[in-house]
Amino acid sequence: GPARRFISVTVPMIRSTMVLVGALSAVAAFRVFSEVYILSDNSGGPAGQDTTLVMLIKQVGTGLSGNAGYASALSVVLFVLTLGLLLVTLRLNRSER
């Protein structure tokens, strides 16, 4: 039937595209900055609940009491998270073949 054909034929054919779109969406979610910055007026929302990793890097690394070392360490963490996510995506695409 049509449902079985969709599950058995269509989904396996577009699996790599779905994995790629999921990975790119996740990377874009890690990089959210401007929306939160504009909507919360650089405060991170009520009690900092909307602070993202990129916003935290900006807040820690700038200003008179900017801590460049801590901001750099946070940037490395963001890089490792993004790289790990992309490596998982590569592994999922490679295991298909």
Side-chain angles (χ1 to χ4, degrees), residues 6 9-19 96:
F6 178 76
V9 177
T10 306
V11 171
M13 293 297 290
I14 62 171
R15 180 175 181 253
S16 62
T17 304
M18 290 189 310
V19 169
E96 175 185 300

Side-chain angles (χ1 to χ4, degrees), residues 7-82:
I7 292 171
S8 299
V9 177
T10 306
V11 171
M13 293 297 290
I14 62 171
R15 180 175 181 253
S16 62
T17 304
M18 290 189 310
V19 169
L20 178 66
V21 168
L24 292 176
S25 298
V27 168
F30 276 125
R31 297 182 61 225
V32 170
F33 174 77
S34 59
E35 294 89 353
V36 176
Y37 186 80
I38 291 170
L39 290 173
S40 67
D41 196 28
N42 192 24
S43 65
Q49 293 296 310
D50 295 335
T51 302
T52 63
L53 186 57
V54 177
M55 193 168 194
L56 181 63
I57 292 169
K58 186 252 180 209
Q59 288 174 348
V60 168
T62 58
L64 293 176
S65 63
N67 191 347
Y70 185 56
S72 298
L74 288 172
S75 298
V76 170
V77 168
L78 178 64
F79 172 73
V80 168
L81 285 172
T82 306

